[in-house]
Amino acid sequence: MTFILLGLFIASLFLFSLFIFMSKRIFRIRNNEKYKLRNFFPYEINEKCGFKTNFAANSALILSICFSIVLFLLVSIYSRYALLIFGCVTACIATIIFGILTNVPLSMLKQHLALVSIMAVTSLMCPLAVLLDSIRMLKIIEDSPIPILSIIFTSISALFVIVLLFNPKLLSWAKLTENNDANGEIVFSRPKISPLALTEWLIMFNILFNEIILVVYSLIRL
């Protein structure tokens, strides 16, 4: 089972990387501008390129999400432990929401921020659930280093999301950068780093990191 989970993770990671690579390439060709994860929102990939134009990349993302969901479901089905099941369910929700966010623009501000909030909370619940289960397993299995490693990495994952959520710059995520044009007039431009956009991407990367944790943890749980 562990090899199946590992295969699902590799497929998910490869397709997600393919999604980013193809999307950035098409974005640059069509808009004569480089797409940067640090200051462009996930939805802008499709907003300026169009879903159909970026169909291959979006298909890769959908498949990546599907592989991730299958991975989470297999862990929850075969583990039969409440904490792991809860962690997998929250990870599924967070992964699906990221896919939805690639098509929800800021013009739908309330819906966009609500989805980001749910994604952030559910992505935090996953490592916390595995962390609690790892602590319990540490008391049962003393001759395996996996519970200790799981505690370390789930703690890192949870703290990472907490730091993202309590970043004070998130409060001013919509603030633009002031510059002077050739005529000396003040113009507003996109900041080099958009706190909210970067947070959305980093949360998704953290979800992929949680997949690694679940695969490794499955060595003693499945």
Side-chain angles (χ1 to χ4, degrees), residues 143-213:
D143 58 345
S144 174
I146 294 179
I148 297 176
L149 292 175
S150 180
I151 289 172
I152 293 173
F153 289 117
T154 50
S155 298
I156 292 173
S157 177
L159 286 173
F160 180 72
V161 177
I162 291 173
V163 169
L164 288 176
L165 294 179
F166 285 92
N167 179 7
K169 292 185 178 180
L170 272 181
L171 297 175
S172 57
W173 65 267
K175 184 178 180 180
L176 299 175
T177 300
E178 293 185 11
N179 295 297
N180 294 321
D181 61 11
N183 299 320
E185 296 181 358
I186 297 177
V187 294
F188 295 92
S189 61
R190 186 189 298 264
K192 292 183 177 180
I193 298 178
S194 173
L196 184 58
L198 182 60
T199 296
E200 291 180 20
W201 281 111
L202 289 178
I203 287 176
M204 185 57 205
F205 292 140
N206 192 61
I207 294 171
L208 291 171
F209 180 65
N210 289 335
E211 287 188 29
I212 300 176
I213 294 174

Side-chain angles (χ1 to χ4, degrees), residues 16-151:
F16 185 74
S17 301
L18 195 61
F19 158 71
I20 294 177
F21 174 78
M22 289 192 296
S23 296
K24 292 177 69 174
R25 180 181 175 83
I26 293 175
F27 186 93
R28 187 164 189 171
I29 292 173
R30 290 182 61 86
N31 299 285
N32 196 29
E33 183 180 8
K34 186 177 181 181
Y35 185 96
K36 298 176 181 177
L37 299 184
R38 67 174 182 267
N39 64 353
F40 278 91
F41 287 87
Y43 79 87
E44 291 182 282
I45 285 177
N46 289 315
E47 183 185 51
K48 293 190 176 184
C49 293
F51 187 90
K52 292 183 179 179
T53 302
N54 200 33
F55 182 76
N58 284 309
S59 297
L61 176 62
I62 292 171
L63 287 174
S64 174
I65 291 173
C66 289
F67 280 123
S68 295
I69 291 174
V70 172
L71 185 152
F72 294 135
L73 289 178
L74 284 178
V75 172
S76 62
I77 290 172
Y78 285 94
S79 67
R80 300 186 301 277
Y81 294 97
L83 284 172
L84 275 184
I85 293 174
F86 176 76
C88 290
V89 170
T90 55
C92 279
I93 294 172
T95 305
I96 293 171
I97 288 178
F98 178 83
I100 296 174
L101 278 174
T102 59
N103 292 282
V104 180
L106 284 178
S107 58
M108 302 171 63
L109 185 60
K110 290 183 179 179
Q111 295 89 333
H112 189 99
L113 293 181
L115 287 170
V116 173
S117 300
I118 296 172
M119 182 176 70
V121 172
T122 50
S123 67
L124 175 61
M125 293 297 100
C126 176
L128 286 179
V130 181
L131 173 62
L132 292 175
D133 193 70
S134 300
I135 293 174
R136 190 168 69 88
M137 284 301 296
L138 184 61
K139 299 177 181 179
I140 301 174
I141 304 176
E142 299 179 353
D143 58 345
S144 174
I146 294 179
I148 297 176
L149 292 175
S150 180
I151 289 172

